[in-house]
Amino acid sequence: MELVADDGIAKWRTLLGPTNTADAKAKAPNSLRAHFGTDGTMNACHGSDAPDTAAQELNFFFNSPRKCFSGRGGSTLCIIKPHAVLAGHAGMIIDTIQKKYKVTGAEMFVISRPNAMEFYEIYKGVCAEYTSMVEQLCEEKFIALEVSDPDGENPVDAFRELCGPPDPEIARVLRPETIRAQFGNDKVKNAVHCTDLAEDGQLEVTYFFDLLQGC
């Protein structure tokens, strides 16, 4: 993650706590490393220690070309929609996904209306909510995830089952354990987008992680 704030490096390192987890528990018991670290190596989080190293590390992760996952069964796309991100549900949605799948790519996006229309073009003239779906997607920041099956199988159909019916009201009745049942509001603000067809999984992943990213 890229974090932005006045005196951001110092604030982040204070929140992290000492590098060694034992020291963190003794000297900064409310820090992240005190809560989630186990030792000096598995200490939960990393934080840049100076502006020049921050610039190098940001360049490494966000400006270097990345290759999308290419397993035997490929991967599928999940979009955590803007309303779910704003509501603070992204972490819980990702936790739910990772119980069964690997998240092999993640990026926060803000896209233009033409890009949103292009991505949702398959629903134009088919889905009554098409225009509202476009407006929701380009309204604010959202998170695109590349989701892969740990056994290398094509994850599209099974992952769509985890997401649940597109209408959260129906999902809450028929599939209350699904992501849309738990975090969706209505048919447009239904928490997540997921790929519909098995053959489209890699295409949708490529749209965000190659075409829009230039990777």
Side-chain angles (χ1 to χ4, degrees):
M1 294 184 290
E2 179 181 14
L3 305 180
V4 180
D6 293 333
D7 199 19
I9 292 175
K11 288 179 179 176
W12 175 231
R13 290 185 68 80
T14 298
L15 181 61
L16 284 176
T19 302
N20 187 279
T21 301
D23 290 342
K25 289 180 179 180
K27 299 175 182 177
N30 293 322
S31 66
L32 291 174
R33 286 169 173 161
H35 283 294
F36 303 109
T38 55
D39 54 38
T41 303
M42 301 178 68
N43 57 358
C45 302
H46 167 77
S48 304
D49 59 6
D52 57 341
T53 53
Q56 292 171 7
E57 290 167 351
L58 287 168
N59 182 68
F60 177 82
F61 283 102
F62 294 104
N63 291 332
S64 299
R66 81 175 278 281
K67 295 292 184 182
C68 294
F69 178 78
S70 127
R72 175 161 51 91
S75 53
T76 190
L77 181 76
C78 174
I79 291 175
I80 303 177
K81 294 187 175 183
H83 78 93
V85 174
L86 288 171
H89 294 153
M92 291 182 284
I93 291 172
I94 292 172
D95 284 347
T96 300
I97 292 169
Q98 289 185 315
K99 289 177 181 177
K100 295 186 177 181
Y101 299 94
K102 291 181 180 179
V103 174
T104 46
E107 190 75 38
M108 183 168 279
F109 287 88
V110 177
I111 64 172
S112 66
R113 181 181 174 84
N115 283 143
M117 292 174 68
E118 181 179 48
F119 178 69
Y120 277 142
E121 187 175 9
I122 191 173
Y123 299 105
K124 188 175 182 179
V126 176
C127 181
E129 292 79 23
Y130 168 76
T131 301
S132 297
M133 289 164 60
V134 168
E135 294 295 340
Q136 163 64 191
L137 193 62
C138 61
E139 184 177 72
E140 255 292 352
K141 296 177 181 179
F142 63 87
I143 299 172
L145 304 174
E146 180 185 30
V147 178
S148 305
D149 184 271
D151 298 320
E153 301 298 326
N154 190 308
V156 173
D157 292 339
F159 183 71
R160 193 174 64 249
E161 291 296 310
L162 177 64
C163 291
D167 187 336
E169 291 299 326
I170 294 175
R172 280 188 271 273
V173 174
L174 300 180
R175 304 282 304 285
E177 76 288 354
T178 60
I179 292 171
R180 286 168 172 159
Q182 296 179 66
F183 304 107
N185 298 340
D186 53 44
K187 291 176 72 175
V188 174
K189 295 182 177 182
N190 59 356
V192 293
H193 162 84
C194 58
T195 307
D196 286 323
L197 302 175
E199 59 268 27
D200 289 343
Q202 206 65 50
L203 292 174
E204 291 196 354
V205 167
T206 298
Y207 184 81
F208 282 99
F209 291 101
D210 283 347
L211 298 181
L212 292 187
Q213 289 286 85
C215 61

